[in-house]
Amino acid sequence: MKRFMSIGLVVVLLFAVVMAGCISSGTETGTYSITIYTGSTSGVYYPLGSTYANILQKYSKDETGIQIDAKAVTSGASVSNAQAIGDGRAQAAIMQNDVAYYAYNGVILDAFKDNAVKNLRGIAALYPETIQFVVKADSDIKTLQDLAGKKVAVGAAGSGTAVAAQQILEAAGVWDQVDKVYLSFTEATQQLKLGQIDAAVIVSGAPTPAVDQIAVQTPVRILPIGEDILQKLHDKGYIFYVSQTLPKDTYNGMTQDTPTLAVKAVLVVSADVPDEVVYAMTKLLFLHVDELRQVHAKAQYISLDTALDGMSIPLHPGAIKYYEEQGKTIPDNLKP
């Protein structure tokens, strides 16, 4: 009797192990669960990420044959999102492409030195996060070179903004000549308004609320950043920068369209997510992009035509399959 009970227990345990394997690997049962890390509820990442999760949840079974149970959660944005992919807390995330580059390569930011996130893979570039060197409209500062000897808020210490400011000002040849102040966006714009600094560096979707709020009473301009600076950055390996033109009506005080640079918000995924799941995620992103455009204006930039522009890490094979089906050529540097 005890022998039969033991055999029965083994059978039950084996069944439990098999079922656990099906649940964790997902696609054997036709269902795959993912957690998408986004950002704060007041930013862009969360409304786009939560709507994208709803799209996956709603359409995946009927349109791809795999039920993707997706949920979006708030987070500390790019750096913490990359770390969450690395340790398995998240299977997908939205982040800046420069931070994705630093995370994958284990460089620049202290959070990733000796802690490279090698399982990070790209799905698509989404929209530009504009690099804005903001000055008062009546300032005599007209170019990046004019910042020499000036007090410039270059972002919070250790932030991606501070890194971008250094890279760009080094390319312009004035980084060592700038009086650098490390401030948040809100602190920087308020000090600019009060005349306590001469310029503020902001990396964010434009128009940025912190800049917009002061521009109502204190008109502002954005310093131009030309293609020569972009080429120097690319020559140094900073492939994540792209060009952008800000319309003259972006802020009160601007009188002409202004060329500048941007990094890109990108949708990323863990390399551990099965190819067929990522293929479905990529397909549904573009099939239902109109739903994303209904929740935030930045989604107007999400397009199959620009999906690889500024992508700074290797693509997931599932995404590559979708793009190749759409006739896109995958650059060698984006192949895993």
Side-chain angles (χ1 to χ4, degrees), residues 141-186:
I141 300 171
K142 306 296 184 183
T143 69
L144 293 181
Q145 287 72 25
D146 292 340
L147 292 173
K150 305 295 185 181
K151 183 176 288 189
V152 181
V154 295
S159 68
T161 295
V163 173
Q166 179 174 350
Q167 291 170 347
I168 291 168
L169 290 175
E170 282 180 344
V174 295
W175 173 251
D176 292 335
Q177 303 170 52
V178 168
D179 182 4
K180 294 171 278 291
V181 184
Y182 293 89
L183 300 170
S184 70
F185 292 168
T186 300

Side-chain angles (χ1 to χ4, degrees), residues 157-233:
S159 68
T161 295
V163 173
Q166 179 174 350
Q167 291 170 347
I168 291 168
L169 290 175
E170 282 180 344
V174 295
W175 173 251
D176 292 335
Q177 303 170 52
V178 168
D179 182 4
K180 294 171 278 291
V181 184
Y182 293 89
L183 300 170
S184 70
F185 292 168
T186 300
E187 292 169 334
T189 53
Q190 289 302 314
Q191 289 200 19
L192 179 67
K193 178 180 179 179
L194 296 172
Q196 296 171 341
I197 59 173
D198 300 297
V201 185
I202 307 290
V203 180
S204 178
T208 303
V211 181
D212 224 7
Q213 288 167 8
I214 70 158
V216 174
Q217 294 181 331
T218 307
V220 300
R221 282 187 291 107
I222 306 299
L223 299 182
I225 306 176
E227 291 292 325
D228 57 328
I229 298 295
L230 178 63
Q231 188 59 55
K232 288 179 181 179
L233 292 166

Side-chain angles (χ1 to χ4, degrees), residues 236-257:
K236 290 184 177 183
Y238 304 140
I239 60 173
F240 38 79
Y241 288 109
V242 297
S243 60
Q244 186 185 10
T245 298
L246 280 184
K248 62 183 179 181
D249 59 355
T250 302
Y251 298 114
N252 180 40
M254 292 179 63
T255 59
Q256 58 187 7
D257 296 347

Side-chain angles (χ1 to χ4, degrees), residues 53-94:
N54 291 338
I55 288 170
L56 297 179
Q57 191 80 29
K58 181 178 179 181
Y59 299 109
S60 56
K61 180 65 174 179
D62 290 341
E63 297 184 7
T64 69
I66 299 172
Q67 177 60 48
I68 301 175
D69 289 339
K71 67 175 180 178
V73 300
T74 59
S75 75
S78 295
V79 172
S80 60
N81 291 0
Q83 293 170 325
I85 293 282
D87 63 24
R89 285 175 291 137
Q91 291 73 49
I94 302 174

